Amino acid sequence: MTTASPATAALKAFRYDRSELLWGAGGQARLSSARVVALGLTATVAEALKNLILPGLNRFLIVDDGLVTSRDLGTNFFLSGGDLGRRRADAAVRELSELNPSCEGQSCATSLAAIFTSDASIRAFLTESEPTLLLVSSIVSLTQQQRLAAVVRASPRFARVAIVSCLTNGLCGLIRVDAGERFVVDAVTDADLRVVDFRVLNPFSRLREFYERLDPAAGTVDSALFNHIPYMAVIYHALKRWRAAEGKPDDAVPSGYTSQWQAVLKPHIESFARTKTVVVDEGAPKEQRYLPDSFLDAINQLGPRLNVGANRNAPELYALLKDQRATNPGPSDDPFWFVVHGVAKFRERHGGLMPVAPTIPDVETTTDLYRELQAIFRDQAAADATEVHADAQRAATAAGCAADHVSFETARHMCGQVWDLRALSFPSTAEQCASMPWEALDTRAPEALRWYAALIGAEVVAEQRGANGGVGLRPGESLSIGDHELPLGPEEALLRAAVRQRCSPDWYSQTFANAVELSEIVRFGGGEPTPVASIVGAVTAQECVKLLQGLRVPLCFAAVYDGHANVIHVVDAKR
């Protein structure tokens, strides 16, 4: 076994400071504590490891007892001519470890066949290697992948281990994810889609005091402060004026769409306009009414979206709150469900409101006012998280869990991203590869499903021939598929027979009647072109990062890369 020496913690912090800007200190910490175990080394797996090592993966292990061949040299950037005939895993670890001295690389010469001898041997390997994520190459057969997934999912110790398989076959690639049940705390990638609740309609006490102090109509607000009143305070006082003028209660809000909100509140905002003296073209000074930019922002922000608790369309979150595990979490449930339970209790007590976020986006105001507003929300977020954590702990105690089952840090983090919480269920490897018929799959592009079927069919044929790793179909042999003894020439007939097993005759005839995908897979011969392997490996690494960090929604079934059109298609089970 070869090991690359890790770098110091100080060097790690310096090296990854820019990565933290992408996914935060928490995301970087989870990546920097992860251990990825690669079963079999192909060019695609090497590319995936490269893209995990560079941003700060903690450790990786390559399990492969094969020797470097001329075929490897033609596809894998991390193997050179001097490695010919040497152990493939050792050579790859040496080259990959040079990419980042902070990452510890190891190789293991245990044969995959020995690992998959029995379920007990699989469990023993998992216990020894302690993976956070398993990266599975096409060298591992479909049957072996299914056995591995079954053992992982049946063991409480390894239930959180994600399994990601990837392969390249000619101009196409396939990525599959089996991760059991996963919890995503930050599911949104676009800042413009994030929910921002400034509590304009229902401010908590300290925020109300802040808004009250910034009354645009008050004589105590001088011109300098007037020009920088945050738009939320402007809307707050416009609402107060509208309620007073219409005799509405203190919690009343306009009804209808954005245009209706603007129709009733815009005149009140415009009434805050002040007079200033201007000189035009060196003429005589004259008085002019004006509104600062923040007041115009207030008009643009008017609409039912301000009423976040009532109008936010968040079916995923509301489904979580109603889930049985949130209503009555049990002793074996993840801390995630206890915190969701606490959020549901919080919402009941506060009239449908959610815990506030500890951070706020930039707004038009002075630096001092913005800092004060930040502090107000940060302190309230801590108070809300404390309340949620207390409910979560009470539920954990009632369920018989340990006192530290739900940490305050977990509650604080989840409350800060409450609108972006997700619980994901992944189809098993067996469902994806063996039992789920092609008709049960869904994709926006029909050709993606054909490529997916063809790639899985090629894996089936390769396993039947004992030629895992995408060696390609060879004429002149025979193979039993089902009850049929078929010649391997023409090769396409063999592949078609494998594909036909997983679908109805009608669907097969309609889908593949004039399709070229099966013929193309045969023509590829299991080749692994370096440019295609680089793309598939990079996408694989991206999904691995999502799974390791618990940030963003990962691929929940499979993805097909079509190199002919340079397009990645997502394949999923029909809902």
Side-chain angles (χ1 to χ4, degrees):
M1 179 175 286
T2 61
T3 302
S5 60
T8 65
L11 180 59
K12 287 184 179 181
F14 175 76
R15 176 172 284 127
Y16 307 131
D17 59 345
R18 293 189 179 183
S19 297
E20 290 188 10
L21 296 177
L22 289 174
W23 43 58
Q28 185 63 46
R30 285 186 284 275
L31 181 62
S32 295
S33 62
R35 176 179 172 88
V36 171
V37 174
L39 298 178
L41 181 73
T42 60
T44 308
V45 166
E47 291 292 335
L49 286 173
K50 175 196 75 176
N51 288 287
L52 291 170
I53 293 167
L54 288 172
L57 178 68
N58 181 34
R59 293 183 295 166
F60 70 95
L61 169 68
I62 299 177
V63 182
D64 193 320
D65 64 336
L67 304 179
V68 177
T69 66
S70 56
R71 180 186 178 90
D72 296 320
L73 298 179
T75 60
N76 197 324
F77 273 131
F78 297 97
L79 301 174
S80 59
D83 297 322
L84 192 64
R86 297 177 180 174
R87 282 181 45 207
R88 192 160 46 201
D90 289 347
V93 166
R94 183 191 67 244
E95 297 297 324
L96 287 167
S97 296
E98 291 183 1
L99 297 173
N100 187 348
S102 298
C103 182
E104 178 185 341
Q106 297 177 320
S107 63
C108 177
T110 301
S111 70
L112 294 174
I115 293 173
F116 289 101
T117 301
S118 65
D119 290 355
S121 62
I122 296 175
R123 282 191 292 270
F125 169 75
L126 293 172
T127 301
E128 181 181 359
S129 60
E130 297 182 333
T132 310
L133 181 144
L134 290 165
L135 185 59
V136 182
S137 73
S138 56
I139 297 175
V140 182
S141 71
L142 282 179
T143 299
Q144 290 172 336
Q145 291 183 39
Q146 292 170 44
R147 288 184 59 196
L148 173 66
V151 171
V152 168
R153 297 293 157 247
S155 172
R157 178 175 179 178
F158 306 113
R160 295 286 295 160
V161 175
I163 304 172
V164 181
S165 63
C166 59
L167 65 88
T168 297
N169 193 329
L171 296 181
C172 292
L174 177 62
I175 304 165
R176 288 190 300 268
V177 177
D178 179 349
E181 184 178 55
R182 310 292 284 194
F183 307 110
V184 179
V185 175
D186 189 351
V188 176
T189 57
D190 190 341
D192 293 335
L193 299 178
R194 292 191 180 277
V195 178
V196 179
D197 187 2
F198 281 112
R199 292 288 187 87
V200 177
L201 307 184
N202 31 44
F204 44 90
S205 58
R206 190 176 166 194
L207 182 60
R208 181 180 291 106
E209 293 172 3
F210 176 85
Y211 288 156
E212 288 287 355
R213 201 175 79 236
L214 299 174
D215 185 352
T220 55
V221 175
D222 60 26
S223 296
L225 182 56
F226 176 79
N227 291 334
H228 295 93
I229 296 177
Y231 79 83
M232 303 85 68
V234 175
I235 296 175
Y236 172 84
H237 287 284
L239 276 166
K240 283 187 66 176
R241 285 198 168 196
W242 170 73
R243 289 163 180 161
E246 299 293 330
K248 302 282 188 181
D250 291 343
D251 59 351
V253 297
S255 59
Y257 298 105
T258 299
S259 59
Q260 292 166 286
W261 280 63
Q262 290 184 341
V264 298
L265 294 181
K266 183 179 177 182
H268 293 286
I269 294 177
E270 292 175 338
S271 72
F272 295 136
R274 290 191 176 184
T275 302
K276 64 179 178 180
T277 302
V278 297
V279 177
V280 180
D281 295 333
E282 299 183 358
K286 65 176 184 179
E287 300 295 312
Q288 181 175 316
R289 301 275 289 175
Y290 78 99
L291 283 173
D293 288 343
S294 61
F295 287 68
L296 302 178
D297 287 343
I299 294 173
N300 292 331
Q301 292 293 333
L302 291 175
R305 63 179 175 272
L306 289 172
N307 197 4
V308 174
N311 294 314
R312 172 63 180 167
N313 182 21
E316 297 94 346
L317 175 60
Y318 296 143
L320 284 181
L321 297 175
K322 296 177 182 178
D323 193 286
Q324 175 63 29
R325 289 165 293 181
T327 304
N328 187 26
S332 61
D333 284 329
D334 191 272
F336 177 91
W337 291 112
F338 289 91
V339 177
V340 174
H341 172 84
V343 170
K345 292 295 184 183
F346 180 96
R347 191 165 181 257
E348 290 175 8
R349 281 192 298 269
H350 294 274
L353 295 175
M354 293 291 186
V356 301
T359 59
I360 58 174
D362 195 15
V363 293
E364 181 88 15
T365 188
T366 65
T367 301
D368 289 341
L369 284 176
Y370 182 70
R371 286 177 176 171
E372 182 180 356
L373 194 60
Q374 277 186 316
I376 290 172
F377 274 86
R378 182 174 59 248
D379 293 346
Q380 186 62 39
D384 289 354
T386 299
E387 185 176 338
V388 169
H389 182 235
D391 281 314
Q393 280 191 312
R394 279 191 287 270
T397 301
C401 298
D404 60 349
H405 186 63
V406 184
S407 69
F408 174 74
E409 179 59 27
T410 298
R412 184 201 63 79
H413 185 49
M414 289 179 61
C415 287
Q417 307 289 346
V418 67
W419 292 101
D420 300 324
L421 300 178
R422 300 287 188 275
L424 308 174
S425 295
F426 293 75
S428 68
T429 301
E431 288 178 307
Q432 294 185 46
C433 300
S435 60
M436 188 174 292
W438 306 126
E439 300 97 303
L441 303 182
D442 190 20
T443 180
R444 295 181 180 179
E447 64 272 18
L449 201 51
R450 293 195 294 268
W451 283 121
Y452 181 77
L455 288 166
I456 295 289
E459 287 188 275
V460 171
V461 172
E463 179 178 356
Q464 292 280 357
R465 289 182 47 250
N468 301 321
V471 174
L473 305 174
R474 294 196 301 263
E477 301 178 18
S478 63
L479 175 68
S480 296
I481 297 184
D483 297 328
H484 305 283
E485 184 79 15
L486 298 174
L488 267 169
E491 297 146 329
E492 187 174 336
L494 186 68
L495 183 56
R496 285 184 177 273
V499 171
R500 260 197 305 269
Q501 286 185 309
R502 285 273 304 280
C503 59
S504 66
D506 290 342
W507 187 88
Y508 175 83
S509 60
Q510 293 172 6
T511 304
F512 289 98
N514 299 308
V516 300
E517 285 79 8
L518 297 177
S519 301
E520 284 291 283
I521 288 294
V522 172
R523 189 169 68 88
F524 294 156
E528 198 176 21
T530 302
V532 182
S534 298
I535 295 172
V536 177
V539 176
T540 301
Q542 170 186 281
E543 298 308 313
C544 291
V545 168
K546 294 177 186 177
L547 290 162
L548 293 171
Q549 293 181 337
L551 304 176
R552 315 296 187 261
V553 176
L555 181 69
C556 290
F557 192 97
V560 173
Y561 172 68
D562 178 4
H564 303 80
N566 194 28
V567 173
I568 297 173
H569 300 284
V570 173
V571 180
D572 200 354
K574 290 181 180 178
R575 305 297 182 182

